[in-house]
Amino acid sequence: MIQYVYDIVAAVILIAFIGRGFKRGVLRTVLSLICMIIAFTAAAACSSYPVTSKIYDDYFSETVNEHIDSAVKEVRDEASKKIKDEAMQSADSFIDDNLGGSDELKQLVRDYLGTDDDVLRSQISDAFSYFQLDISSLLTNQYFRDKIDIIASEYSGTVAAEINSRLPFGITVSQSSVEEIFKDTEAHEAVIYELLGIKSQDSATTGAANYLEKKIVRPTAIRMIGTIVWVVVFSAVSIVLRIVVSIVLIVRKIEPVKTCDSLLGGVLGAAVGAMVVVSSVILIVILVRFTGGMTYMNEDIFSRTLFFGRLYDLAKGFSFLK
């Protein structure tokens, strides 16, 4: 008796699609499909990268950059304080070991390092320019690279948290993405410029904030904008087209048109139902082939069905299933 379940299910699927097609009519079915294609195409076009990137640049970029600048300044001040403390300790040790532990020299170093961060960065930058030193010497120095990697690892969580607490529209970045993005040469240069105010002559970096916005926040924001635009456009176009379709379908009230439309809808529904049944049979062929058959799903049961077994044998003959 179990074998007839397959025949019954296939028949129910076919009848259901024929009935649905007859009720909807071919006109409504075809127009609905066309509307779906138009809405999808319009949504895809409006949410494409050129469009969403322009939306971001025109309406969100300035606000986002202000928030990132604010977040990075908070972290930079914290990192700068730690670096100054370490520099003071190193200077004290050097003076004790090599310059007789002069308190005057120690105080001189403290006074210098205690200078306002922006002024200190400007002085360091001027010193590099005066002595014609290039930032590339720091970027190729493994000690400095390791230090920057440590800073990136140590403060990546703080940077991510500070940015996320300020960014609008639900945009977020992860700690791992911040830490990972700070490991290339361009990131090292951005960090050095942020902390010391120095960069190589051919560098276009404007600091860590700009780097984070370009590498993490901007792509994330553009993807989010693209998703929102897609949903909004798809929904709006679908609603408008649905109204248009409802107006066009007034012609179904004409009796000869309605009868013809229903009959053709039944034929179309039969075709779609047949495709669904055949697709289901193909999936069953694949399942039986991979599992070797199961208690209530095997070739012996199929051979005793009225017509499901014929479909099964036909599907097995498809070239891509051999």
Side-chain angles (χ1 to χ4, degrees):
M1 187 65 185
I2 186 65
Q3 66 269 22
Y4 298 120
V5 171
Y6 291 96
D7 289 328
I8 294 170
V9 171
V12 167
I13 291 174
L14 195 58
I15 292 171
F17 273 93
I18 292 174
R20 184 171 183 270
F22 185 84
K23 182 178 180 181
R24 286 173 59 84
V26 69
L27 191 59
R28 182 187 295 276
T29 302
V30 172
L31 287 177
S32 296
L33 178 61
I34 293 173
C35 290
M36 180 72 70
I37 294 173
I38 293 174
F40 188 90
T41 303
C46 292
S47 62
S48 62
Y49 181 81
V51 175
T52 52
S53 61
K54 180 169 177 55
I55 292 173
Y56 173 80
D57 291 336
D58 290 349
Y59 299 103
F60 302 110
S61 178
E62 184 176 349
T63 301
V64 169
N65 273 293
E66 288 176 358
H67 288 300
I68 297 175
D69 283 335
S70 174
V72 169
K73 185 178 184 303
E74 291 285 337
V75 179
R76 187 190 72 192
D77 291 345
E78 182 181 332
S80 178
K81 182 178 183 303
K82 183 173 182 179
I83 291 172
K84 285 181 179 180
D85 290 340
E86 291 179 355
M88 288 180 185
Q89 293 174 11
S90 298
D92 286 348
S93 297
F94 180 82
I95 292 171
D96 287 336
D97 296 340
N98 300 280
L99 300 174
S102 171
D103 291 334
E104 290 79 5
L105 285 175
K106 290 180 181 180
Q107 187 58 49
L108 183 63
V109 171
R110 287 190 177 87
D111 290 341
Y112 177 71
L113 294 176
T115 305
D116 178 77
D117 284 348
D118 291 334
V119 175
L120 186 58
R121 290 170 73 246
S122 176
Q123 290 175 347
I124 293 174
S125 178
D126 291 343
F128 262 71
S129 298
Y130 181 80
F131 291 106
Q132 297 184 335
L133 300 174
D134 195 335
I135 186 64
S136 59
S137 61
L138 291 181
L139 293 174
T140 56
N141 185 296
Q142 192 59 46
Y143 173 80
F144 275 93
R145 293 180 70 90
D146 290 343
K147 276 290 187 183
I148 293 173
D149 285 339
I150 291 172
I151 291 173
S153 178
E154 182 175 351
Y155 288 98
S156 57
T158 305
V159 171
E162 289 289 343
I163 291 176
N164 290 339
S165 68
R166 289 170 168 79
L167 286 182
F169 319 116
I171 301 171
T172 59
V173 300
S174 66
Q175 175 181 345
S176 58
S177 62
V178 173
E179 184 173 351
E180 184 63 31
I181 211 73
F182 266 132
K183 290 184 178 179
D184 61 32
T185 301
E186 187 181 354
H188 287 173
E189 185 155 336
V191 172
I192 290 176
Y193 180 74
E194 193 71 51
L195 294 173
L196 304 179
I198 52 177
K199 61 181 179 179
S200 55
Q201 294 178 351
D202 59 347
S203 173
T205 186
T206 56
N210 175 263
Y211 182 78
L212 284 168
E213 190 274 340
K214 179 175 66 175
K215 293 291 186 177
I216 300 180
V217 179
R218 189 174 192 275
T220 301
I222 288 176
R223 284 195 298 271
M224 181 178 293
I225 292 170
T227 301
I228 295 172
V229 169
W230 194 96
V231 171
V232 170
V233 172
F234 184 84
S235 301
V237 173
S238 296
I239 292 172
V240 172
L241 292 177
R242 210 171 287 134
I243 295 172
V244 173
V245 168
S246 66
I247 295 173
V248 172
L249 288 177
I250 293 176
V251 298
R252 286 193 87 237
K253 294 184 179 298
I254 304 173
E255 190 55 40
V257 174
K258 181 179 180 181
T259 302
C260 182
D261 184 58
S262 297
L263 290 174
L264 290 175
V267 173
L268 180 61
V272 174
M275 290 174 58
V276 172
V277 171
V278 171
S279 300
S280 301
V281 173
I282 290 173
L283 290 175
I284 291 175
V285 170
I286 295 172
L287 186 60
V288 170
R289 182 159 297 174
F290 274 98
T291 63
M294 292 174 280
T295 304
Y296 298 110
M297 186 183 291
N298 56 66
E299 294 190 356
D300 179 58
I301 290 177
F302 300 154
S303 66
R304 290 184 277 118
T305 61
L306 294 176
F307 65 89
F308 184 87
R310 283 56 176 176
L311 292 175
Y312 183 86
D313 293 336
L314 179 64
K316 284 200 304 182
F318 293 161
S319 59
F320 65 90
L321 291 176
K322 291 182 178 178

